[in-house]
């Protein structure tokens, strides 16, 4: 069964009372009634403000018992008026073809309107209905506030747990990073031999990786004594960073050590190393510098494969770079073109290094000039501090971070030969040794 009714209103108060009475008559829940009242008056507000009336059509379709009916409420402007947009309403409305706002509300089960519903919305009924809606709104607001506080507390607890978990993860990651870095540094230290003990020479080394996340690199060195007593030093700078470049540099130092101990000439070792390693690693590229130093005579031999030149700081304050031409491992025609021969006098300082020391500002010439000043400034301090002090001066500003390796070798005065022992002359029989008295004498 379907019933229809159309009414016209000129004031918001009359419209509000009529909608409230309609909702109560059809036993709509108080929350639905309140939202319908507010939504209808909000739609009609602009028309009333302009002095134009509003039309309200209601249609009730009731179904047999057990099936809910439908109450349709349509609010529309009368000729000459237009309803404004109504996207945000407490109770959503549909827009019909003629621009009306339409609400379709399910009716509670029952045969008809509420038996106690007033026939007209008098002042007392209006007040009771408003009070009921207000109590519902306050209860709803309180319930929402309680829910909000509960959700806020749950969110704070969740955030606290998430923050604690984040802190734990950060601490774990930091421990893993430290353990990883410690393992790599221990590996690096195992690959980097300490200075050897040689009479007449002082040796020291400084190494710093390009970044703490990869404390290993391709800058490597080796020093050892040869059977003839001379000291061999190898400095390698393999292309790249991290473990891969460390492996490449280690292969070079091992090959060089083997060839040197086998007695190969210094000028042939770089080329021979290239021949040995390239079949196993076609990607290997490394610069190499070889030094051979006699502690007894101070004679110094240098071979070079594309590596920065060694720096010699004299005991008298003079300085010069020891240039030797050549090409590194993996370069075309690898090998040292010659062997430079010179000598270290007592007090002279030899500095061997990789390009990370002089190219931190991307200007090798400036870096070489600064290296002379730094090495000269620190040439007389204890040898163990020399490489680090030089690196500290060179890296005051770093625009081009790279692994850094610096070795310092200082010649010491040779000790004077010991005087031969004085032998006592034998005492002839029957004579007493000088300074001794006979028994009883």
């Amino acid at each position: 069964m379907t019933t229809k009714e159309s009414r016209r209103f000129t004031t918001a108060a009359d419209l509000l009372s009529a909608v409230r009475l309609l909702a109560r008559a059809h036993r709509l829940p108080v929350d639905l009634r309140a939202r319908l009242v507010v939504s209808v008056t909000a739609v009609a507000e602009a028309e009333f403000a302009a002095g134009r009336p509003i039309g309200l059509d209601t249609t009730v379709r009731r179904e047999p018992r057990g099936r809910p009916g439908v109450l349709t409420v349509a609010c529309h402007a009368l000729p000459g008026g237009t309803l404004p947009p109504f996207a945000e309403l407490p109770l959503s409305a549909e827009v019909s073809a003629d621009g009306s706002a339409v609400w379709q509300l399910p009716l509670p089960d029952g045969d008809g309107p509420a038996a106690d519903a007033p026939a007209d919305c008098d002042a007392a009924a209006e007040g009771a209905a408003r009070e009921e809606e207000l109590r519902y709104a306050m209860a709803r607001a309180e319930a929402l506030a309680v829910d909000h506080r509960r959700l806020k507390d749950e969110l704070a607890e969740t955030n606290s747990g998430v923050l604690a978990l984040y802190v734990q993860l950060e601490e774990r990651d930091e421990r893993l990073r430290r353990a990883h870095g410690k393992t790599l540094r221990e590996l690096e230290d195992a690959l980097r031999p300490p200075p050897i003990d040689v009479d007449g020479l002082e040796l020291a080394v400084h190494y710093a990786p390009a970044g703490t996340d990869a404390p290993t690199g391709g800058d490597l060195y080796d020093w050892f004594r040869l059977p003839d007593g001379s000291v061999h030093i190898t400095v390698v700078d393999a292309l790249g960073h991290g473990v891969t470049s460390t492996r490449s540099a280690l292969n070079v130092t091992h090959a060089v050590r083997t060839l040197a101990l086998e007695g190969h000439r210094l000028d042939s070792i770089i080329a021979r190393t290239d021949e040995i390693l390239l079949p196993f690693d076609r990607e290997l590229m490394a610069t190499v510098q070889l030094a051979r130093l006699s502690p007894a005579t101070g004679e110094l031999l240098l071979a070079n494969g594309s590596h920065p030149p060694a720096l010699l700081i004299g005991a008298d304050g003079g300085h010069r770079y020891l240039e030797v031409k050549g090409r590194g491992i993996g370069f075309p025609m690898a090998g040292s073109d010659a062997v430079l021969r010179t000598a270290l006098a007592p007090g002279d300082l030899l500095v061997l290094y990789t390009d990370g020391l002089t190219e931190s500002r991307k200007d090798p010439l400036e870096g070489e000039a600064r290296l002379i000043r730094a090495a000269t400034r620190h040439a007389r301090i204890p040898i163990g501090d020399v490489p680090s002090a030089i690196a500290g001066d060179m890296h005051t500003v770093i625009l081009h971070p790279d692994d850094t390796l610096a070795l310092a070798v200082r010649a010491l005065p040779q000790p004077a030969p010991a005087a031969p022992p004085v032998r006592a002359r034998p005492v002839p029989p029957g004579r007493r040794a000088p300074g001794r008295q006979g028994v009883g004498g």
Side-chain angles (χ1 to χ4, degrees), residues 9 27 37 55 89 97-98 107 114 122 142 285 300 344 353 383 410 426:
F9 299 91
R27 299 181 295 178
V37 170
L89 294 173
D98 62 356
L107 294 174
D122 57 16
E142 179 61 25
M285 294 190 71
L300 173 65
L344 292 188
Y353 56 94
I383 192 64
R410 184 156 58 198

Side-chain angles (χ1 to χ4, degrees), residues 123 146 150 173 202 241-242 294 325 390:
V146 171
R150 177 179 58 81
D173 290 345
E202 292 181 324
H241 300 286
S294 172
K325 294 183 178 180
I390 292 174

Side-chain angles (χ1 to χ4, degrees), residues 100-112:
S100 300
V102 180
W103 294 267
Q104 292 189 350
L105 310 172
L107 294 174
D109 293 341
D111 293 330

Side-chain angles (χ1 to χ4, degrees), residues 368 402 424:
E368 290 179 359
D402 195 2

Side-chain angles (χ1 to χ4, degrees), residues 312-361:
L312 179 61
I313 303 295
D316 59 357
H319 54 78
R320 62 189 175 106
Y321 279 102
L322 307 178
E323 299 274 359
V324 186
K325 294 183 178 180
R327 291 151 300 282
I329 309 299
F331 291 72
M333 301 179 64
S336 182
D337 291 346
V339 171
L340 184 147
R341 295 177 181 271
T342 187
L344 292 188
D348 287 355
L349 179 71
L350 178 68
V351 181
L352 307 172
Y353 56 94
T354 56
D355 59 9
L357 187 68
T358 54
E359 296 183 7
S360 62
R361 302 189 188 186

Side-chain angles (χ1 to χ4, degrees), residues 152-162:
K152 187 176 180 180
D153 292 342
E154 291 178 355
L155 180 60
E157 184 177 354
T158 300
N159 287 341
S160 177
V162 170

